[in-house]
Amino acid sequence: MAWMDRHNHTVLKEFILTGITDRPELQAPLLGLFLVIYVISVVGNLGVVILTKVDSRLQTPMYFFLRHLAFIDFGYSTTVGPKMLVNFISDQNTIPYNRCATQLAFFILFIISELFVLSAMAYDRYVAICNPLLYSAVMSQSMCWVLVGVPYLYSASMSLITTIKIFTSSFCGYNVISNFYCESLPLLSLLCSSTREIELFILICSVFDLVSSLLIVLVSYILILKAILRMNSAEGRRKAFSTCGSHLTVVVVLYATLCFMYMQPKSSHSFNSDKIASVFFTLVIPMLNPMIYSLRNREVKGALHRMWKNLCKFPIQSSIDNAYKTN
């Protein structure tokens, strides 16, 4: 009888996303704003991926991790962004059942990956500053792949387990998600079956991911700070701080947003505040990261300048070659 009761619930074929706002006069301005943010994010992150791949001077472990960070930022902003933009101009903000599950799975995959790639970047800076003579030996190509491969595998497994647990549970007939994308907390509120096991699993995983990744970052930067303070040269201290500044800025912005989203007191927790934080988390941060690394990094700015010069020279050289061939 319990098996029959569990399967007598309404079988959902789609979900309705409430979106960012229900005020019609704000739809067009927000569409324009978020379209610009998303385009800048895509161009910036794909630009970093291409630049760190093709420029010979950026073939170091630090830029290897930066390339993966840019790929992850592109991934989770693209998981959410296009559907959110379409919903601004569509009459009914619906998302198919299977696509909702896919969106949730990829979103969790990229978010967890970002936390541990940032931790790997902190460890890389620790080795570079505290053990410079051993840097090449410790941060070998195989070690770099381990430091990104393990987080990808772990994130994929956590993503699949969470998504399967939610979407194999029984949903009631109500299918309105109080957000602009498929996120775990609003989805749990739609379940008819007990959510205690899933909530406990998500809580344990979230605490582990946040605490372990943040602990690696904090320990790395405490050791880096101690090493910098022991330096006699003011120029050496300035250079060491400059190599960590961009990464530290990204870490502070990301963790501050995560703490706002998931560590509020239950009495002050609301889906409206979650929406604001989610916009910042899914669209604004992926747009800011390439800017932070480009504006604060001389090597990246130099690579951009070299690439721009090569692109400008190519049409001129082609015109000269064609002129010679004609003559």
Side-chain angles (χ1 to χ4, degrees), residues 162-182:
T162 305
T163 306
I164 290 170
K165 278 181 174 291
I166 291 175
F167 281 87
T168 55
S169 300
S170 301
F171 284 95
C172 301
Y174 190 68
N175 66 338
V176 178
I177 297 174
S178 299
N179 213 326
F180 57 92
Y181 67 100
C182 291

Side-chain angles (χ1 to χ4, degrees), residues 15 34 59 66 70 115 122 125 131 145 163 168-169 175-176 189 211 234 261 272 278-279 281 293 309 320:
F15 293 95
F34 293 131
Q59 304 306 308
L66 179 58
L115 294 175
R125 292 298 84 208
N131 297 288
W145 275 110
T163 306
T168 55
S169 300
N175 66 338
V176 178
S189 67
V211 172
M261 287 178 69
N272 286 330
S278 294
V279 168
F281 188 58
Y293 278 102
K309 281 179 66 177
I320 294 171

Side-chain angles (χ1 to χ4, degrees), residues 121-140:
M121 294 174 79
Y123 176 71
D124 171 71
R125 292 298 84 208
Y126 156 72
V127 178
I129 293 171
C130 298
N131 297 288
L133 298 178
L134 297 175
Y135 182 70
S136 298
V138 174
M139 299 305 295
S140 61

Side-chain angles (χ1 to χ4, degrees), residues 221-296:
Y221 274 105
I222 288 170
L223 296 173
I224 287 170
L225 184 61
K226 287 176 65 178
I228 290 174
L229 292 176
R230 285 200 300 265
M231 291 179 180
N232 296 321
S233 167
E235 178 64 22
R237 286 197 295 270
R238 188 196 64 77
K239 188 176 288 186
F241 274 121
S242 68
T243 61
C244 299
S246 300
H247 177 258
L248 202 54
T249 304
V250 170
V251 168
V252 169
V253 172
L254 177 67
Y255 279 92
T257 308
L258 285 173
C259 289
F260 177 80
M261 287 178 69
Y262 296 110
M263 297 183 71
Q264 300 178 74
K266 201 162 187 179
S267 58
S268 63
H269 186 84
S270 73
F271 284 124
N272 286 330
S273 62
D274 281 354
K275 285 181 186 180
I276 297 169
S278 294
V279 168
F280 192 79
F281 188 58
T282 57
L283 291 176
V284 178
I285 288 178
M287 178 192 71
L288 290 177
N289 285 354
M291 292 182 178
I292 292 168
Y293 278 102
S294 299
L295 296 174
R296 295 179 61 91

